[in-house]
Amino acid sequence: INTSFGQTFQQELDSLLESKFSSVSAGIAVLIVKNSQEIYKKGFGLANIEQKEIITANTNFRMASVSKQFTAMCILLLEKQGKLSFEDTLLKFFPDFEATVGSKIKIKHLLTHSSGIIDYEDLIPENQQSQILDDDVLRLVRNQNKTYFEAGTQFRYSNTGFCLLEQIIEKVSGEAYSNFIKKNIFQPVGMLNTHVYSKYAKISNRAMGYSHNEKGQIILNDQSITSATKGDGCVYTSLNDYKKW
């Protein structure tokens, strides 16, 4: 593709995306910004195949792990307010956490994926059917007396760490995570159509998730046991709102 961002570029990108995402299949939204100027903004395909809702710049997609940046910002705001320190350990917030682990892992380790804390996904019971929530993650890991490595010595991507950060945000702020993030990030920034997922939350302009089955057919596949945790991947936002962020 010609990357000079002129008319030819836009036409070539249109052609590429139209060839990949038909008007009757699950699709994609694309925004390109250069030096604060919108170069390209379009939606292709459907946000909801069953309802035949087309994708626009206001379609809210599940951001999955890209949501972690918002959890991190909540922690930074609380630190700036003097309500916590990056040097605080898990034991300060969770006194019943296993002492050997809880006394060594600090907020800064959770933020930087350097805690070595056990992946909660490996601790989920085989018979688990309901979705795991952030407080469930805390219950799964708080009695673990080992880590993958000593905190601060290595990098290992961790969903567990950001679920614990969500719990810390609630403890320190005295508010539900969804309320805190809305009041301190989404509203001030003007992301008024951005949502935090919960089973009962009404998410406007929502893009549903799909996958292919064994026969190659597209099927609805929007949620899993681990897709309801908030701290590590819960935000639904659109091109228009995400640009504000």
Side-chain angles (χ1 to χ4, degrees):
I1 288 180
N2 183 326
T3 56
S4 63
F5 300 112
Q7 190 67 32
T8 301
F9 166 80
Q10 295 187 29
Q11 291 171 347
E12 289 187 29
L13 190 51
D14 281 347
S15 178
L16 173 65
L17 294 173
E18 286 169 355
S19 71
K20 299 293 184 181
F21 303 97
S22 76
S23 60
V24 295
S25 68
I28 188 173
V30 179
L31 170 67
I32 300 174
V33 178
K34 182 180 182 182
N35 297 329
S36 300
Q37 179 183 355
E38 281 188 12
I39 303 299
Y40 188 91
K41 183 170 69 175
K42 283 190 179 181
F44 298 85
L46 299 175
N48 187 315
I49 293 176
E50 292 73 23
Q51 301 299 322
K52 294 182 170 54
E53 295 174 1
I54 64 171
I55 291 173
T56 72
N58 288 316
T59 299
N60 279 315
F61 289 85
R62 181 172 181 265
M63 300 296 279
S65 285
V66 180
S67 303
K68 287 182 172 69
Q69 63 190 305
F70 297 106
T71 300
M73 180 57 78
C74 288
I75 291 290
L76 295 178
L77 290 172
L78 289 169
E79 191 275 340
K80 212 167 186 60
Q81 295 169 10
K83 295 182 178 179
L84 55 76
S85 166
F86 299 137
E87 297 295 327
D88 289 339
T89 68
L90 290 179
L91 286 181
K92 179 173 180 178
F93 309 102
F94 315 115
D96 59 345
F97 212 95
E98 199 284 325
T100 304
V101 173
S103 63
K104 293 180 179 179
I105 294 179
K106 300 178 179 180
I107 285 181
K108 67 181 182 181
H109 299 135
L110 301 178
L111 284 171
T112 58
H113 297 283
S114 60
S115 68
I117 199 164
I118 300 296
D119 293 332
Y120 81 85
E121 295 93 336
D122 295 336
L123 303 174
I124 298 174
E126 290 186 7
N127 61 351
Q128 181 78 32
Q129 295 188 3
S130 59
Q131 287 187 309
I132 297 290
L133 303 178
D134 300 77
D135 56 348
D136 295 321
V137 173
L138 174 60
R139 284 194 289 272
L140 287 171
V141 301
R142 68 183 174 192
N143 294 321
Q144 294 293 311
N145 61 4
K146 61 182 180 179
T147 56
Y148 294 117
F149 48 81
E150 184 179 348
T153 64
Q154 296 183 44
F155 175 91
R156 180 181 171 120
Y157 189 84
S158 175
N159 288 312
T160 302
F162 273 74
C163 290
L164 295 183
L165 288 174
E166 188 266 3
Q167 291 286 282
I168 291 172
I169 290 164
E170 293 199 335
K171 277 182 171 289
V172 171
S173 70
E175 297 184 64
Y177 173 86
S178 55
N179 291 340
F180 184 86
I181 197 171
K182 180 178 180 180
K183 186 169 66 177
N184 292 276
I185 296 180
F186 298 156
Q187 289 181 341
V189 172
M191 300 172 70
L192 303 182
N193 294 306
T194 296
H195 306 270
V196 171
Y197 174 82
S198 75
K199 184 177 180 180
Y200 305 104
K202 178 174 174 54
I203 299 175
S204 59
N205 303 316
R206 178 177 174 180
M208 303 304 292
Y210 297 89
S211 63
H212 289 95
N213 63 16
E214 299 82 3
K215 298 179 181 179
Q217 300 166 319
I218 294 177
I219 58 171
L220 183 67
N221 188 17
D222 190 69
Q223 292 292 309
S224 69
I225 287 178
T226 61
S227 64
T229 48
K230 293 181 172 64
D232 64 339
C234 65
V235 173
Y236 276 75
T237 196
S238 65
L239 292 186
N240 285 339
D241 266 16
Y242 196 48
K243 182 190 174 187
K244 296 173 185 177
W245 168 249

